[in-house]
Amino acid sequence: MSQPRPKIVIPDDFPPVISDTAAHRTLQAHGEVIVYTTRPDSQDELIARIRDAHTVVNIRAYCKFTADVLGACPGLKHLAVWGTGVDNVDLQAAQARGILVTNTPNTATDSVAEQALALMLALARKIPAIDAQVKRGEWGRGMLTQLCGKTLGIIGTGVIGRRMAQLGKGVGMEVIAWTFHPDAATAQDVGFRYVPTLAEVLRQADVVSLHLRYSLDTERLIGAKELALMKPTAFFINTARGQLVEQQALYEALRDGTIAGAGLDVFEREPIDPQEPLLTLPNVVLSPHTAGTTPEALMNGLNLCAANVVAFFEGGVRNRVS
């Protein structure tokens, strides 16, 4: 008598990205796959979907895998996260229960760095405002910002930060950086220089681009004190995580002219509250956490997520987080 196929549950494919893809078919070849294409409306609903799963493939960060959720799933062996960030998972609880947590690092490097570059250019050249003016039949004239010759400050020199440094150099910017674990060889290879403190990046840069992972060490790293160090002509870019920044302090700095503008793909709460005061400001360019949503990044990440699942079924481990 054949053994039952392991149950693989995707509880949160909304909006759908994995359904009917090569990654989906890979999973189907290795287990009984159940895909939910609606958002679970509560923790209890999430538990009901994954209670009997051997493997859970997590697509959306709005699903929170708390200690209570993990504790309600006695057969769960593997939580395969699509994406790099795992701040929606209680890693300590997962480890205590022997649940392997994996992620898909470095699959959206180019896509996220390009979004940071696009936000920077949109701010410097005032593209959203100018586009709206022309479409209204206006022919307004005004000074724009040239980035060539300016200084780009990178906070966090992982793969995305390094790629952003390369793109900044490509438009003629001098690039400086700060990170928790500087790598002199990397700086030499890419062509940027480290400065000794975060404060020095903030003081010197004409554009500050944030590329750190979210952790207890980085939570609210950028607040009113840090923003006050920046030039009043400087732009702030965040395509990392909203929780790295005190959003109210950023709003006040933008409102009061402490800094000139911000380009944001991530926010403290997502989706962003329609009453969020940032939405009222003319000197911000916003996108809805879409930096990694290109076909190339999407397929890279989904295929790696499926490969992580297959590796575990075959007795190996790839891209372990916990």
Side-chain angles (χ1 to χ4, degrees):
M1 185 174 179
S2 62
Q3 291 291 324
R5 285 155 59 83
K7 182 176 288 188
I8 304 169
V9 179
I10 305 172
D12 51 2
D13 192 25
F14 177 80
V17 291
I18 195 171
S19 300
D20 301 320
T21 64
H24 186 188
R25 291 188 288 274
T26 296
L27 295 174
Q28 289 175 318
H30 289 82
E32 176 194 353
V33 180
I34 300 172
V35 183
Y36 292 88
T37 56
T38 59
R39 178 173 180 163
D41 59 11
S42 66
Q43 176 176 283
D44 289 343
E45 170 100 11
L46 176 60
I47 290 171
R49 292 181 180 189
I50 68 173
R51 189 188 306 275
D52 299 324
H54 173 283
T55 296
V56 169
V57 175
N58 169 223
I59 300 296
R60 302 295 180 185
Y62 56 65
C63 278
K64 309 300 182 185
F65 296 91
T66 64
D68 288 342
V69 170
L70 297 175
C73 304
L76 183 60
K77 304 299 182 185
H78 183 192
L79 176 57
V81 176
W82 172 54
T84 302
V86 291
D87 39 290
N88 61 322
V89 181
D90 186 328
L91 295 177
Q92 186 174 6
Q95 187 174 40
R97 295 186 173 279
I99 300 169
L100 173 69
V101 180
T102 60
N103 67 347
T104 59
N106 308 333
T107 57
T109 299
D110 292 329
S111 180
V112 175
E114 285 181 12
Q115 185 77 358
L117 176 68
L119 290 168
M120 179 172 71
L121 288 165
L123 280 169
R125 312 305 290 193
K126 300 181 181 178
I127 290 173
I130 291 173
D131 173 75
Q133 288 173 1
V134 174
K135 288 176 178 175
R136 290 195 300 265
E138 301 171 9
W139 200 251
R141 310 290 287 174
M143 296 301 290
L144 307 177
T145 298
Q146 177 176 299
L147 293 173
C148 183
K150 300 294 195 305
T151 298
L152 171 62
I154 303 289
I155 301 175
T157 54
V159 291
I160 297 174
R162 297 197 299 269
R163 181 62 179 139
M164 182 59 178
Q166 291 174 324
L167 294 177
K169 286 179 61 65
V171 295
M173 302 183 78
E174 178 187 359
V175 182
I176 61 175
W178 175 86
T179 196
F180 286 101
H181 305 290
D183 183 337
T186 293
Q188 184 173 3
D189 289 344
V190 177
F192 64 87
R193 62 180 176 88
Y194 283 111
V195 296
T197 64
L198 172 61
E200 281 303 302
V201 171
L202 297 169
R203 289 191 187 100
Q204 294 184 35
D206 298 294
V207 179
V208 172
S209 192
L210 188 54
H211 298 284
L212 291 170
R213 293 183 180 180
Y214 172 72
S215 70
L216 292 178
D217 291 331
T218 61
E219 185 173 14
R220 297 197 162 198
L221 183 73
I222 304 296
K225 182 177 75 171
E226 290 73 27
L227 293 164
L229 297 175
M230 293 175 62
K231 301 176 182 179
T233 54
F235 299 130
F236 178 76
I237 309 296
N238 187 8
T239 54
R241 281 291 186 270
Q243 292 78 11
L244 305 184
V245 180
E246 292 182 21
Q247 193 160 294
Q248 180 64 25
L250 178 59
Y251 163 72
E252 292 171 3
L254 291 162
R255 179 197 63 193
D256 298 342
T258 304
I259 62 174
L264 309 173
D265 185 58
V266 290
F267 307 91
E268 280 186 341
R269 293 179 57 193
E270 297 178 2
I272 193 169
D273 187 331
Q275 304 305 312
E276 166 59 47
L278 276 173
L279 301 179
T280 67
L281 297 175
N283 54 342
V284 294
V285 179
L286 310 176
S287 56
H289 204 155
T290 56
T293 53
T294 65
E296 296 85 353
L298 183 70
M299 289 303 105
N300 288 343
L302 292 175
N303 290 338
L304 182 55
C305 189
N308 290 342
V309 172
V310 173
F312 186 61
F313 285 152
E314 293 178 348
V317 174
R318 294 183 57 172
N319 300 303
R320 176 196 291 270
V321 177
S322 173

